[in-house]
């Protein structure tokens, strides 16, 4: 599968929690990292998702928000702390590649102004987060 999403995680479905309209899907990634997605019940059925099935979680880099404080309280279900592995500054945006404790990489795209104001540099610890509704699930 080829997509434009910079964050493409493969794993196994840990749980499917059905609601009236949407379901919460937890996908186990390598190294004990997990991502949570909220998708429609119709999508769960169309994709044949159940505990143990193989699934992909796709998150566009522009949907990943970065913060300095790992204790920051937010409504984002997906929260990861990690170290900056690589920074690539462009004309308008900076690509930030983080290494997560489980060995996965998470990519965020932020403005150059934000990168400068946060004092981003290789090796710095950050909190990365994205909403469960921002995860596209594929099989």
């Amino acid at each position: 599968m080829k997509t434009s999403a910079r964050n493409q995680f493969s794993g196994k479905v840990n749980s499917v929690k059905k609601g009236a309209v949407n379901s919460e899907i937890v996908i186990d990634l390598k190294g004990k990292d997990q991502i949570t997605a909220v998708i429609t019940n119709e999508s769960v059925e169309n994709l044949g998702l159940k505990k143990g099935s193989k699934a992909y979680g796709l998150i566009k880099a522009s949907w990943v928000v970065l913060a300095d404080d790992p204790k920051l309280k937010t409504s984002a279900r997906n929260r990861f702390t990690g170290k900056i592995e690589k920074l690539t500054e462009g004309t308008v945006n900076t690509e930030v590649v983080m290494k997560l404790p489980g060995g996965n990489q998470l990519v965020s795209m932020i403005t150059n102004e934000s990168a400068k104001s946060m004092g981003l540099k290789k090796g710095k610890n950050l909190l990365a987060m994205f909403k469960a509704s921002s995860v596209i699930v594929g099989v």
Side-chain angles (χ1 to χ4, degrees):
M1 170 173 57
K2 291 182 180 183
T3 73
S4 64
R6 292 297 316 274
N7 298 293
Q8 300 182 30
F9 299 107
S10 66
K12 290 202 175 189
V13 175
N14 177 292
S15 64
V16 177
K17 186 177 180 183
K18 276 199 165 184
V21 176
N22 293 324
S23 291
E24 177 188 85
I25 311 298
V26 177
I27 301 172
D28 290 336
L29 309 177
K30 70 176 183 178
K32 299 186 181 180
D33 290 327
Q34 289 183 323
I35 58 172
T36 301
V38 172
I39 61 174
T40 64
N41 291 334
E42 184 177 348
S43 291
V44 171
E45 290 185 29
N46 288 341
L47 296 171
L49 295 173
K50 60 185 178 207
K51 186 177 173 88
S53 13
K54 186 174 181 179
Y56 296 90
L58 309 173
I59 306 97
K60 289 185 61 68
S62 58
W63 297 343
V64 178
V65 176
L66 302 178
D68 281 329
D69 184 359
K71 295 178 185 173
L72 186 67
K73 292 182 181 183
T74 71
S75 63
R77 291 293 309 275
N78 295 288
R79 299 169 52 94
F80 300 94
T81 54
K83 287 186 186 243
I84 296 175
E85 193 170 66
K86 181 181 171 191
L87 290 167
T88 306
E89 187 176 333
T91 305
V92 176
N93 292 320
T94 298
E95 179 187 70
V96 182
V97 180
M98 290 176 52
K99 184 77 147 191
L100 304 181
N104 295 294
Q105 282 188 336
L106 184 62
V107 180
S108 179
M109 190 67 69
I110 63 172
T111 64
N112 292 340
E113 194 62 35
S114 292
K116 286 176 189 162
S117 70
M118 292 178 72
L120 299 187
K121 56 186 160 215
K122 189 174 177 178
K124 182 174 183 166
N125 288 314
L126 287 178
L127 168 66
M129 57 195 138
F130 50 92
K131 296 181 72 66
S133 56
S134 295
V135 179
I136 298 168
V137 178
V139 294

